[in-house]
Amino acid sequence: MKPLSENSFWKKYNRFSIWVLIIAGLLLIVTILPQLVKAKWVLFEPLPTWEVNDPVSKVFIMDDIPPTAGSLAAGDSTVPNEYLVDPAIDTLLMLMETQDIYLHKTAAHPSGFVDTNEVVIIKGNFQWHDRNSTSTDRIKGVIWQILQHPDGFTGEIIVCDNTQGGYINEADNNSEDVNQDILDVINTFSDKGYPVYVLDWDYVMDVVVDEYSAADYDDGFTYDTTSKISYPKWQTDEGTYVSLRYGIWDSLGSVYDSDLLCLINMPVLKAHGMAGATIALKNWIGVLTVTDQVARYGSYNDMHNNYFFGSYALPVKVMQVTYPDLTILDAAWTNPTSNWNYPENAENTNMLLGSTDPCAVSWYAAKYILTPIADSPNDTDPDYVGGDYKNNIVAWTTNLQDSGFAVTIDSSEISVYDLSTIPVELISFSAVVNNGVVVLNWRTSTETNNFGFQVERSKDKISFDQIAFVPGSGTTTETKTYSYRDTTVMNGKYYYRLKQVDYNGSYAYSQIVGVDLGLPTKFALEQNYPNPFNSQTVIKFDLFETTNLKLNIYDINGKLIKSLIDNETWDAGRYSVNWNGKNEQKQTVSSGVYFYRLEAGNFNITKSMIFEK
């Protein structure tokens, strides 16, 4: 018998094996390696920053965003207020403040975007679903920030888009918790009593109307037959007349007030088969109407090729008359393939950008985030001569510049800032009231020469006094958590800020957070949260006067399981009590339905909860 090495069968097998290995290697190079290169770029390549003298535009970037505070998937008032916060949005706004760009318009910052009584339109991207829609975590963060206006917020917040038949619904769930869709976000704020609404302009896309000044009070889209410019006007849920072009209409005075309208542009980063990329400028197609395409444009293709994309630049012609005050670009997930049908291809780039210039932020995102991972990089590169996005962004930017807008896609006219401009990266700062005590919590993701935090308090948001000092962690890249309990407060409103102090004496202030310790006007018992629960749940209640109090847990047979408060005298205030699912014998109870009953003087109320092991 021949040795195996001399056997003809094994010779053929060895030659076959070699070819298999060669082919497999080629497949690795062609298919897998590019993905690894993409992933490596996404994970390890820092985004570039630079500064120029007297920039036309400023772009703010975060190439690693912190997780959001919690999910609003429940979609109702049982969601804790702590979950309404989005640290990514908080950090981006703090970064912008280092360059004197402020979200809130106040006496100290009169150039801010949002005043106390404005109607704020958040223009998201919801025509396409899943990872192709604007992150609902970022949307909730912006809403919460607006509601936290230092002077109070009495206006309206409306999340809008013209989905052109796509519909705003449960499929718009681009979020850390994919069960949290945009309707959950809106419903949570609304159920808590906040003036937050959602509106799909698609419902009036076919309705041609005139302006309020022409005595036309119908909802719909104005349309100019010569310029093709169109934009919506409508009456809000609270009865306000809104013209996206002219502002808020005063029907009694017959005048518009443009200062009462704020527009925030919140696109999502992705490739696009016709435009090259869908970013801040193309997102404005969701402001105009695309009805009657044959009569108005000649055909569907003509509408896109001759009007939307190319020298005519219809999206930015509409943007000229409905210009956004601020652009926040969601790049938590970036789709390198297409605007539609491929949500599963989206890459977790985990980034966030902001600017007052939609052109500059679009150019930057396309060049440094989308193009390095794009399936067709020449189409998405804003600097590639002859590329789709190059042609479009040049036409769009030139059109805005010719109309007098301070926009640019020239890197020598743009300054780009990242979190290194903040000596301590504060990713969250919140204040909550617990049993009459104000609890301040804050977290940092990095610290450089951080001596510590001076905790400052104010009653009027103007004069602040230091009430405590919390030592910092020096220099660290680890996430650090801090807390302070203010036990010296009485009833009323209080405002807090942090003064972060370096070892060399330099300092920076955080944003201001506020709490209201006003006494309740009635007894109340809230639904426990979370519910169902398997380890811990919170029961909140209000007492409007000093009273004798009981709070007990019962099973479905009425048997007392646990006495949380046993015939004690409690002062008026807002309170919360935890239950860990254990009985009086400190044993974990069985899964099932339980009841909790609050007895406060002559007031008593019972609610149910579900415990799951």
Side-chain angles (χ1 to χ4, degrees):
M1 181 176 178
K2 294 182 179 179
L4 288 179
S5 59
E6 297 179 10
N7 188 290
S8 60
F9 169 80
W10 285 105
K11 287 182 178 180
K12 292 179 182 179
Y13 177 80
N14 287 337
R15 287 197 296 271
F16 175 76
S17 300
I18 292 172
W19 279 108
V20 168
L21 290 172
I22 293 173
I23 293 172
L26 291 173
L27 288 173
L28 175 67
I29 294 173
V30 173
T31 62
I32 299 176
L33 189 59
Q35 300 303 318
L36 294 176
V37 171
K38 290 181 185 179
K40 183 178 186 303
W41 184 90
V42 172
L43 291 172
F44 301 113
E45 283 293 329
L47 294 177
T49 63
W50 63 86
E51 289 190 64
V52 301
N53 292 326
D54 194 23
V56 172
S57 302
K58 299 176 181 179
V59 173
F60 302 88
I61 61 171
M62 294 171 58
D63 58 9
D64 185 22
I65 58 178
T68 196
S71 174
L72 310 191
D76 55 38
S77 62
T78 63
V79 176
N81 279 352
E82 295 90 330
Y83 289 5
L84 304 179
V85 178
D86 182 51
I89 289 295
D90 291 354
T91 306
L92 178 67
L93 295 177
M94 191 181 304
L95 175 60
M96 297 178 74
E97 288 180 2
T98 65
Q99 297 298 313
D100 297 322
I101 299 176
Y102 294 88
L103 176 69
H104 300 125
K105 182 184 295 184
T106 62
H109 306 296
S111 62
F113 306 120
V114 179
D115 211 341
T116 59
N117 59 342
E118 290 187 351
V119 175
V120 183
I121 306 300
I122 299 176
K123 166 55 176 86
N125 188 326
F126 299 108
Q127 181 179 5
W128 309 106
H129 296 154
D130 303 302
R131 297 302 184 193
N132 284 330
S133 60
T134 304
S135 170
T136 59
D137 291 320
R138 306 295 88 82
I139 295 283
K140 77 164 184 180
V142 172
I143 292 173
W144 183 241
Q145 274 285 346
I146 295 169
L147 293 172
Q148 301 312 298
H149 195 292
D151 299 325
F153 183 76
T154 59
E156 302 173 58
I157 303 172
I158 312 174
V159 179
C160 297
D161 192 16
N162 180 6
T163 59
Q164 303 164 15
Y167 305 113
I168 299 178
N169 57 30
E170 293 85 355
D172 300 310
N173 55 3
N174 183 10
S175 53
E176 286 181 27
D177 178 3
V178 294
N179 293 313
Q180 174 191 281
D181 57 62
I182 187 60
L183 298 184
D184 293 332
V185 171
I186 303 303
N187 291 337
T188 296
F189 284 103
S190 179
D191 206 38
K192 286 177 174 285
Y194 295 113
V196 179
Y197 309 94
V198 65
L199 181 64
D200 190 342
W201 291 318
D202 179 81
Y203 83 105
V204 289
M205 189 167 66
D206 297 333
V207 181
V208 179
V209 295
D210 208 337
E211 269 294 343
Y212 296 115
S213 54
D216 187 338
Y217 282 80
D218 291 335
D219 295 353
F221 278 81
T222 67
Y223 174 72
D224 183 88
T225 57
T226 302
S227 67
K228 312 295 185 185
I229 291 175
S230 61
Y231 56 88
K233 58 179 276 284
W234 73 98
Q235 186 177 21
T236 72
D237 288 60
E238 298 192 7
T240 306
Y241 293 107
V242 179
S243 165
L244 213 64
R245 177 171 190 167
Y246 294 107
I248 306 305
W249 172 253
D250 179 357
S251 58
L252 297 178
S254 296
V255 293
Y256 290 102
D257 190 340
S258 59
D259 290 336
L260 290 179
L261 183 64
C262 174
L263 272 63
I264 299 178
N265 186 12
M266 293 190 67
V268 63
L269 181 61
K270 52 191 175 183
H272 188 271
M274 301 177 76
T278 293
I279 319 182
L281 298 169
K282 185 191 170 296
N283 195 43
W284 230 240
I285 291 178
V287 170
L288 56 84
T289 174
V290 297
T291 194
D292 295 333
Q293 296 172 9
V294 174
R296 294 179 178 180
Y297 306 104
S299 68
Y300 170 88
N301 288 333
D302 288 335
M303 177 180 70
H304 287 83
N305 297 328
N306 298 335
Y307 290 94
F308 289 174
F309 312 131
S311 60
Y312 194 80
L314 181 59
V316 296
K317 279 184 168 60
V318 174
M319 184 176 279
Q320 289 170 17
V321 299
T322 59
Y323 195 78
D325 298 276
L326 173 65
T327 294
I328 296 177
L329 175 54
D330 167 29
W333 291 82
T334 299
N335 197 322
T337 305
S338 173
N339 187 54
W340 62 288
N341 278 356
Y342 301 101
E344 68 278 3
N345 290 349
E347 301 233 11
N348 187 197
T349 41
N350 203 40
M351 299 179 187
L352 184 65
L353 301 87
S355 181
T356 57
D357 180 354
C359 299
V361 74
S362 293
W363 171 83
Y364 185 96
K367 185 169 185 65
Y368 295 108
I369 304 175
L370 175 59
T371 296
I373 63 172
D375 289 357
S376 301
N378 290 346
D379 293 334
T380 62
D381 190 342
D383 294 331
Y384 182 78
V385 177
D388 290 341
Y389 198 58
K390 164 77 170 180
N391 293 337
N392 286 308
I393 197 170
V394 167
W396 292 337
T397 303
T398 301
N399 194 287
L400 286 173
Q401 289 173 334
D402 291 346
S403 300
F405 290 90
V407 297
T408 185
I409 55 173
D410 184 343
S411 61
S412 67
E413 299 177 335
I414 301 171
S415 286
V416 182
Y417 305 91
D418 65 7
L419 294 174
S420 64
T421 61
I422 303 177
V424 173
E425 185 184 343
L426 188 67
I427 58 177
S428 66
F429 178 39
S430 64
V432 296
V433 178
N434 188 3
N435 291 341
V437 174
V438 176
V439 181
L440 304 177
N441 294 296
W442 65 97
R443 290 193 305 148
T444 64
S445 61
T446 61
E447 298 183 20
T448 304
N449 297 321
N450 180 22
F451 177 59
F453 303 89
Q454 292 181 10
V455 180
E456 299 184 350
R457 185 180 69 195
S458 171
K459 289 286 288 183
D460 58 9
K461 303 185 299 295
I462 299 174
S463 300
F464 282 83
D465 297 317
Q466 181 179 342
I467 60 172
F469 179 80
V470 177
S473 301
T475 298
T476 178
T477 58
E478 297 181 356
T479 298
K480 297 294 182 180
T481 300
Y482 300 90
S483 181
Y484 175 74
R485 294 169 58 85
D486 186 1
T487 61
T488 63
V489 290
M490 304 294 287
N491 292 325
K493 293 183 178 180
Y494 292 88
Y495 302 90
Y496 297 85
R497 70 183 182 187
L498 301 174
K499 182 179 181 180
Q500 184 273 315
V501 183
D502 287 350
Y503 285 115
N504 62 9
S506 61
Y507 59 89
Y509 287 104
S510 72
Q511 293 174 310
I512 297 172
V513 297
V515 294
D516 187 350
L517 279 81
L519 293 178
T521 59
K522 63 180 180 179
F523 290 119
L525 176 65
E526 296 185 15
Q527 182 66 48
N528 67 301
Y529 187 88
N531 186 40
F533 71 103
N534 60 13
S535 60
Q536 194 91 215
T537 191
V538 179
I539 301 171
K540 294 184 178 181
F541 55 90
D542 294 346
L543 306 178
F544 84 95
E545 63 182 7
T546 300
T547 187
N548 203 49
L549 193 66
K550 293 181 181 179
L551 180 60
N552 295 324
I553 309 295
Y554 301 90
D555 64 16
I556 57 174
N557 296 317
K559 179 183 177 182
L560 177 64
I561 299 299
K562 178 71 175 177
S563 180
L564 301 177
I565 302 173
D566 185 16
N567 205 26
E568 300 173 9
T569 300
W570 285 48
D571 293 330
R574 293 182 168 87
Y575 299 96
S576 64
V577 175
N578 291 357
W579 184 45
N580 58 6
K582 294 185 178 181
N583 58 22
E584 294 287 5
Q585 292 74 41
K586 298 182 180 180
Q587 298 169 331
T588 301
V589 300
S590 301
S591 298
V593 176
Y594 292 84
F595 299 91
Y596 58 104
R597 181 178 178 83
L598 179 73
E599 298 180 37
N602 294 325
F603 172 85
N604 59 79
I605 186 173
T606 302
K607 292 193 175 185
S608 64
M609 65 175 78
I610 299 174
F611 178 73
E612 295 179 344
K613 285 188 177 181

